[in-house]
Amino acid sequence: MHDANYLIRRLAAAGPRDRVFATRPDGPEMSYGALFDGAARMAAALVRAGVAPGDRVAVQVEKSLEGVQLYLGTVMAGGVFLPLNTAYTGAEVAYFTGDAEPRVVVCDPAREGGTRSIAGDARVMTLDAGGGGTLVGAAASEAPAAAVARDADDLAAILYTSGTTGRSKGAMLSHANLASNSETLREVWGFTADDVLIHALPIFHTHGLFVATNVALLAGCSVHFLPRFDADAIIDAMPRATALMGVPTFYTRLLEHPGLTRERAANMRLFVSGSAPLLVETHERWEAATGHRILERYGMTETNMNTSNPLNGERRAGTVGFPLPGVELRVMAEGREVQTGEIGVIEVRGPNVFRGYWRMPEKTAEELRPDGWFITGDQGLVDADGYVTIVGREKDMIITGGFNVYPKEVEAVIDEVGRVRESAVIGVPHPDFGEAVVAVVVRAGEVDEAAIMGALGDLAKFKHPKRIVFAEELPRNTMGKVQKKALRDAHAGLFK
Ligand code: AMP
């Protein structure tokens, strides 16, 4: 029944119908059969709501297994899944719906009114944290639909990344992009039907949605499905689990938990970290506490995963390992490939690399070369042994708790506040979040921290500065450009 849908045919192949796909702390188990039946009913409901092949289904919902079914159901319906961070405000969602022109928007019932007002012609349906809502109601009265035919190069998803210019870009991911990368990861990380993966990442981001979910489905293994990061629940699940995928913040928080011991982690075979740099210190403390060396990997929304430390072999702290099989990686500076050990901008090419930015051909042309090389914007090096190290970001993106914050977007809001002359938003080291957002503000009169914080309401909480520092002026170079590095250095100790 799934034969002609490239991605679904692969994802639905591994888990026999009666095998458990998911266990969860506060709900019944869900079998593979129930997962895909529910997804096929949602596909039928989406088709009835007007979704035709290639149509976008925008989704801003709390994490649930029904949310996973909605991802699969959208792809089965031939649609393009477009997940949105639950922290985004109505104003932010309005930009995405305006840009992507979805046929259907699925939101939490609490946001239904606001979503209707910005959804344009889209049909609005609901899905709540408990797995109820109008979408599920509509799906219940449908028979499971056969998956709609889709080819390798057809779009399966659009994931928005932030833009340094303030405008978010929709990364278009094809069926083959997603399938090839998860097949590679299953192989190199050794996932089998015997694994039990602790799934505590959000499913609106590439890490939790594609890396964790697709790898588990392809392996036909079970997931222990948590609605959010919860140190107690993860420690509790470890003796019954074999693998955890997390952002560095997961590991720093788990290290603070008194229940984290070698005995607790004895059944686990793999701890994966990515989405932001893992401190060498965290790597070492984790090994001391559990006896396991964290496997760090590197990827991004546009490319899925690019590199990984080895499953068998030396996992080197502070590095992101080797290019994955099938992925080419080079380091470029001034138009040429650099020598071993020299720093430049990382470029990657392979079946994992996206199809371009949605309706932004000029942005696509800037970052995706005609011969397939994608310019990641990450600066790094490859050492003599072939290990890749990320040294920083070409752009000044901040990654706080695994989420990306582009300074420009926050600066634009702060600069609008009365009696603010200008601002510079930077990321500084933070023991818990990796980086914390800090705003350096130059005043033109009487204005205090409360007035600035009060003006940030249209921005998601994770973008709000953790600290506002007032300064007489911003450091600039002779060309008039603000020296962010100098600011970062000056404020590096704020959270130490
Ligand atoms: P996103 O598109 O949200 O997944 O963010 C991608 C960016 O996160 C990359 O371009 C890197 O800058 C950063 N990133 C992801 N994984 C790592 C890692 N292991 N170490 C350092 N930076 C990382």
Side-chain angles (χ1 to χ4, degrees), residues 228-476:
R228 65 190 63 79
F229 175 82
D230 174 341
D232 289 335
I234 291 176
I235 298 281
D236 185 55
M238 271 188 197
R240 287 166 281 117
T242 63
L244 171 70
M245 294 184 192
V247 294
T249 311
F250 279 24
Y251 293 101
T252 52
R253 291 196 179 164
L254 286 167
L255 277 166
E256 286 163 17
H257 196 289
L260 183 74
T261 59
R262 271 175 190 258
E263 296 68 45
R264 269 276 140 186
N267 196 52
M268 297 287 288
R269 70 169 186 90
L270 185 61
F271 292 96
V272 179
S273 177
S275 294
L278 181 79
L279 296 177
V280 172
E281 185 209 350
T282 310
H283 195 281
E284 288 168 352
R285 285 177 57 211
W286 190 264
E287 187 175 12
T290 67
H292 292 275
R293 289 176 72 79
I294 296 172
L295 182 152
E296 185 170 9
R297 97 294 178 282
Y298 156 64
M300 59 200 303
T301 302
E302 291 95 327
T303 62
N304 298 275
M305 300 305 106
N306 295 316
T307 74
S308 173
N309 270 281
L311 180 66
N312 303 306
E314 189 194 347
R315 297 179 196 164
R316 250 182 227 179
T319 83
V320 293
F322 309 112
L324 289 168
V327 177
E328 294 174 88
L329 183 144
R330 67 184 185 188
V331 182
M332 302 285 285
E334 286 154 16
R336 277 196 276 112
E337 210 171 331
V338 303
Q339 304 286 316
T340 301
E342 282 179 15
I343 291 172
V345 174
I346 292 174
E347 300 191 5
V348 293
R349 179 163 74 174
N352 55 318
V353 173
F354 75 143
R355 315 277 307 161
Y357 294 113
W358 172 256
R359 290 182 181 166
M360 287 189 177
E362 62 305 324
K363 287 276 170 213
T364 303
E366 278 170 27
E367 296 180 31
L368 190 56
R369 300 185 192 275
D371 58 0
W373 286 100
F374 176 65
I375 305 165
T376 65
D378 288 312
Q379 291 174 312
L381 59 90
V382 183
D383 72 15
D385 299 330
Y387 284 85
V388 178
T389 299
I390 312 286
V391 297
R393 295 173 295 266
E394 195 181 28
K395 306 151 194 168
D396 288 312
M397 184 174 80
I398 301 161
I399 304 182
T400 179
F403 292 130
N404 297 351
V405 178
Y406 284 87
K408 227 185 176 113
E409 197 185 6
V410 185
E411 287 162 8
V413 175
I414 295 177
D415 292 351
E416 284 301 297
V417 177
R419 290 181 293 281
V420 166
R421 175 161 296 140
E422 60 175 347
S423 63
V425 168
I426 53 170
V428 305
H430 187 284
D432 196 14
F433 294 101
E435 283 183 302
V437 178
V438 169
V440 182
V441 176
V442 180
R443 286 179 281 202
E446 270 301 301
V447 58
D448 60 10
E449 182 161 348
I452 294 168
M453 294 304 286
L456 300 171
D458 272 348
L459 289 180
K461 269 261 165 4
F462 68 86
K463 299 177 185 174
H464 294 195
K466 296 242 169 333
R467 196 74 65 81
I468 290 178
V469 178
F470 292 104
E472 289 303 310
E473 57 176 9
L474 298 178
R476 288 193 149 80

Side-chain angles (χ1 to χ4, degrees), residues 106-121:
V106 183
C107 66
D108 193 273
R111 291 188 183 235
E112 190 175 359
T115 304
R116 276 189 199 288
S117 68
I118 54 167
D121 295 336

